[in-house]
Amino acid sequence: MVSTPRRDLIAVRSHRIRLMLHGSGWLMVCLGIPWSVGFAAQGLWFLAVLDLLLALCGAIVVRSVRRDRLRLGAAVFVAYGYLFVCAVGLFMDVPDGTHPRSIHVFLLAMAFASYLVLQLEHRLLYFGVPALCMLTFLVLASSGIGIPLYPIPEEHREISAWFNNFSALACLFVVMVLMHADIRVRTALEAELHAGLENRQLEIHYQPQVDQAGRVLGAEALVRWKHPVRGMVPPGEFIALAEQCGLIAEVGRVVLGSACRQLVDWAQRPERAHLTLSVNVSASQLYEPRFIEATLAVLDRTGADPHRLKLELTETMLVHDVEEVMAKMAALRERGIRISLDDFGTGYSSLAYLKRLPLDQLKIDKSFVDNVLTDANDAAIARTVVSLGQNLGLQVIAEGVETEAQRRFLQDIGCLVYQGYLYSKPLPAAELEQFLRRREAGPGVATAPLPLVPAAPDGVPAVPRSSA
Ligand code: C2E
Ligand code: CA
Ligand code: CA
């Protein structure tokens, strides 16, 4: 493999986030334990518990980072860090006329830190949380708001102010250094993705969707970035980046173009003409002003049959502007395109909206399918999604089906279409063709699911996954 100065930029970036979370986690543990013991010794139980929770959350953050669960670590750090500073600021460190408040300075460090650790999240979070921290800083800094239930003793106020200000500013400085480095890496990554698009490095893999009789009904198109140095980069590592740097529309056009060309190829062969393709659409794509025109233009250009195309939207898209999303969905359906609601059950869509949405399919999220056999709640959610789909006249498909036992459970509750490693991992077009031929080879093959493939992402090398 050729080595370039830009090697493993995504890994470098996620390494910084890990570093930040790791440091913050240990800081929470190291501050929480002694303070908790000190307060408990004085019988100040509220403060002792607050600090014990700080240490506990710190331990969770450290553990999450070690187990590569950066999103969980970031969520715990941001949520408890914010609550802790607010609680101390409102009930303990309340200005008394002589001494100003000081704990709120930590909110500045938290604002920058949360921007860094939440940058792969939805923009509502990665702009909203820092804005909330700054707003709270403003309120605590400019007013005497608070009820001094546990006031800091007079003799300790000055030293505590020095301690808080010094440590908060030191944290702020460290976060700023990390942010600066991160911005440089991010700029380089954007340039790489730009070049990747120009050099046609995006490749589409297809994961078959199968009915209860084992017949292939179609596939989901999943994009990969065939990076010249790092190999196959999974979408989880560059879709968010593409969204943030305004390249998602271009990525979407490439994926849709390939999917439509595949549909045209299938349409010319009677034995493949019934197959459908599902294409993922992310929120920022859907909200592009020219999304509908661009989508229809690709269909017109390629000559693909819109009735064979499904667009997968997610529930989270509905939080911004349901009316706009509904209007766009209606425009797409008018042209015959079908709409599937992906990751169903993980968001917070209201059932009232669901009834009004012009949908064709509900997709039970993999996170529920994973545990349908072991977790009563997940099984109940799967059942609810199926009966919801039945009542609304929608097809229900389960994703991430890995075992025959899961499939049987889903079939028993009325879910009759499946996608997952039980049948196949996502495959390049040529391998999908081989897969289809094998399934057609004989009735025995057509009904029996293929052996479980190794539970590793498709052709994706062991690059550390950035999950924050
Ligand atoms: P998704 O739409 O929920 O796609 C399903 C993901 O689960 C895929 O990961 C697929 O490879 C994986 N998967 C499917 N069956 C199984 C299974 O049985 N076991 C396991 N462990 N995993 C399974 P992938 O390809 O890494 O895609 C991740 C996400 O990236 C997708 O989640 C989708 O949200 C997004 N994505 C993929 N392609 C595109 C695209 O072209 N455009 C946009 N906007 N997003 C895309
Ligand atoms: Ca999907
Ligand atoms: Ca999904």
Side-chain angles (χ1 to χ4, degrees):
M1 260 190 194
V2 206
S3 175
T4 77
R6 283 183 183 164
R7 193 174 173 158
D8 280 351
L9 285 182
I10 294 172
V12 168
R13 218 171 152 215
S14 103
H15 175 69
R16 292 222 169 87
I17 295 176
R18 303 173 79 91
L19 213 66
M20 237 227 51
L21 283 174
H22 217 237
S24 310
W26 276 115
L27 193 69
M28 287 159 88
V29 173
C30 294
L31 291 179
I33 291 177
W35 278 348
S36 176
V37 172
F39 287 131
Q42 294 173 50
L44 299 169
W45 296 110
F46 172 75
L47 297 179
V49 170
L50 199 70
D51 282 298
L52 190 64
L53 282 176
L54 182 72
L56 204 70
C57 288
I60 294 175
V61 173
V62 171
R63 193 177 152 85
S64 307
V65 175
R66 289 200 175 147
R67 298 177 134 210
D68 225 14
R69 301 186 65 187
L70 297 193
R71 291 182 82 165
L72 175 69
V76 173
F77 161 66
V78 170
Y80 194 75
Y82 177 78
L83 285 179
F84 180 82
V85 173
C86 287
V88 173
L90 290 173
F91 303 124
M92 193 179 170
D93 188 12
V94 183
D96 59 7
T98 339
H99 302 94
R101 200 183 332 245
S102 56
I103 190 79
H104 61 287
V105 186
F106 277 103
L107 288 171
L108 284 184
M110 280 207 56
F112 285 96
S114 55
Y115 182 78
L116 189 71
V117 298
L118 297 175
Q119 58 189 288
L120 292 183
E121 299 296 335
H122 192 273
R123 65 183 66 192
L124 217 79
L125 276 177
Y126 82 78
F127 282 134
V129 172
L132 179 70
C133 289
M134 288 186 179
L135 200 73
T136 315
F137 171 85
L138 182 76
V139 173
L140 293 180
S142 321
S143 71
I145 189 173
I147 309 161
L149 293 179
Y150 304 95
I152 304 173
E154 184 73 23
E155 66 274 21
H156 292 153
R157 281 214 76 135
E158 194 172 325
I159 183 79
S160 115
W162 274 98
F163 176 79
N164 283 344
N165 286 326
F166 176 79
S167 12
L169 291 176
C171 290
L172 186 62
F173 181 76
V174 172
V175 175
M176 273 171 51
V177 171
L178 286 173
M179 266 186 92
H180 174 71
D182 184 71
I183 287 167
R184 283 177 42 197
V185 170
R186 188 169 151 167
T187 314
L189 258 178
E190 283 177 22
E192 270 197 1
L193 185 55
H194 222 282
L197 274 161
E198 273 177 9
N199 300 328
R200 298 169 187 266
Q201 288 166 5
L202 293 193
E203 192 175 295
I204 316 302
H205 286 196
Y206 299 93
Q207 188 173 35
Q209 298 177 333
V210 176
D211 73 5
Q212 88 263 34
R215 286 181 296 253
V216 181
L217 302 179
E220 176 176 5
L222 294 155
V223 68
R224 275 95 184 85
W225 178 6
K226 203 169 178 187
H227 194 283
V229 177
R230 290 186 298 111
M232 224 36 119
V233 182
E237 292 187 5
F238 68 91
I239 289 291
L241 175 78
E243 284 177 346
Q244 286 168 21
C245 62
L247 287 174
I248 190 68
E250 188 51 31
V251 171
R253 259 193 298 281
V254 171
V255 176
L256 190 63
S258 300
C260 286
R261 279 190 294 278
Q262 183 64 65
L263 281 174
V264 171
D265 178 55
W266 284 342
Q268 288 158 358
R269 298 149 65 195
E271 73 283 12
R272 300 271 184 277
H274 64 285
L275 297 175
T276 61
L277 271 182
S278 299
V279 171
N280 291 283
V281 175
S282 55
S284 49
Q285 256 174 295
L286 189 74
Y287 282 102
E288 288 263 324
R290 295 200 63 260
F291 174 71
I292 301 288
E293 290 90 326
T295 304
L296 299 181
V298 175
L299 276 166
D300 290 341
R301 198 178 63 235
T302 53
D305 178 1
H307 295 92
R308 301 268 159 250
L309 179 67
K310 253 183 236 151
L311 293 185
E312 292 198 358
L313 311 184
T314 57
E315 277 180 276
T316 42
M317 294 178 182
L318 305 171
V319 293
H320 308 285
D321 187 344
V322 188
E323 300 301 326
E324 186 185 340
V325 175
M326 272 197 264
K328 291 196 166 178
M329 285 163 102
L332 293 167
R333 276 185 103 219
E334 219 164 83
R335 281 291 302 269
I337 298 172
R338 287 186 268 169
I339 314 262
S340 174
L341 200 55
D342 199 0
D343 303 342
F344 188 68
T346 58
Y348 19 76
S349 62
S350 114
L351 293 184
Y353 283 141
L354 197 63
K355 201 177 69 186
R356 292 173 56 207
L357 288 176
L359 286 172
D360 299 276
Q361 187 184 60
L362 291 181
K363 208 163 187 187
I364 307 178
D365 190 60
K366 176 179 178 306
S367 58
F368 303 121
V369 174
D370 278 347
N371 306 316
V372 277
L373 299 175
T374 49
D375 185 320
N377 291 331
D378 287 351
I381 291 172
R383 272 198 192 90
T384 310
V385 177
V386 172
S387 68
L388 208 61
Q390 285 167 347
N391 289 332
L392 296 173
L394 308 175
Q395 185 188 63
V396 179
I397 176 171
E399 72 174 5
V401 182
E402 292 186 345
T403 65
E404 175 54 24
Q406 287 170 341
R407 194 204 65 80
R408 203 169 310 122
F409 174 89
L410 291 159
Q411 181 176 339
D412 289 345
I413 64 169
C415 173
L416 306 179
V417 188
Y418 322 97
Q419 176 185 339
Y421 290 179
L422 173 63
Y423 298 98
S424 168
K425 60 184 180 173
L427 302 167
E431 285 177 38
L432 176 73
E433 179 58 34
Q434 287 170 14
F435 172 87
L436 292 170
R437 285 200 190 132
R438 274 203 308 274
R439 305 284 304 182
E440 285 158 2
V445 184
T447 47
L450 289 181
L452 186 62
V453 298
D458 46 306
V460 173
V463 203
R465 267 182 176 243
S466 116
S467 47

